[in-house]
Amino acid sequence: HVQLVESGGGSVQAGGSLRLSCVAQQYTWRRGCMGWFRQAPGKEREAVAQINLATGETYYHDSLKGRGTISHDNVKHYNTENTVSLQLNSVKTDDTAMYYCAVNSNYCDASTWSWRGDYSYWVEGTQVTVS
């Protein structure tokens, strides 16, 4: 049974940095996408950064380009639980939201990475507040 464990988040000052990490327990396959969605109060949940576990391709929401980097931390250690991290620099108040780590265990690419319905596994979320 796949479970996601997320760490990081909290409060950060505008202009600072934050780092989120996520471990997909019991999910060792290098298939699909893994990364983060976020949801601000009164807004739709949106995909912000994903990494393709098979190819290493990365995908970002326009608001994160140039500020965010998602990485596959154990990419060289096969048959281990996938661990990804998101480093977000120069944070803005608009980054304030609940951040959800998620896994799409099927096919994903540059056209489909942000399709929320394709993600089967989710974490409860961690709050990020930028002030």
Side-chain angles (χ1 to χ4, degrees):
H1 178 65
V2 176
Q3 286 189 314
L4 306 184
V5 179
E6 187 176 24
S7 60
S11 296
V12 61
Q13 289 190 334
S17 299
L18 66 88
R19 186 176 183 86
L20 301 175
S21 294
C22 184
V23 178
Q25 295 179 341
Q26 305 301 318
Y27 188 77
T28 60
W29 300 274
R30 297 300 191 256
R31 182 179 71 225
C33 276
M34 183 172 174
W36 277 269
F37 286 70
R38 71 184 179 189
Q39 187 167 16
K43 294 187 177 181
E44 294 287 321
R45 190 172 298 189
E46 61 183 6
V48 292
Q50 298 289 338
I51 188 164
N52 188 310
L53 298 175
T55 66
E57 288 181 274
T58 55
Y59 315 110
Y60 297 97
H61 187 276
D62 285 347
S63 67
L64 261 68
K65 290 180 179 178
R67 300 189 299 123
T69 302
I70 189 169
S71 58
H72 189 185
D73 298 337
N74 59 335
V75 62
K76 296 183 178 179
H77 299 103
Y78 297 104
N79 297 316
T80 58
E81 296 171 335
N82 290 288
T83 302
V84 298
S85 295
L86 175 64
Q87 177 73 30
L88 185 58
N89 300 321
S90 302
V91 296
K92 308 173 182 179
T93 54
D94 287 347
D95 294 321
T96 295
M98 188 72 80
Y99 283 71
Y100 300 89
C101 177
V103 171
N104 169 355
S105 58
N106 297 302
Y107 177 80
C108 70
D109 61 19
S111 300
T112 64
W113 71 277
S114 62
W115 294 0
R116 179 179 164 186
D118 286 352
Y119 288 76
S120 304
Y121 305 107
W122 293 85
V123 72
E124 289 186 356
T126 187
Q127 178 67 39
V128 170
T129 302
V130 181
S131 59

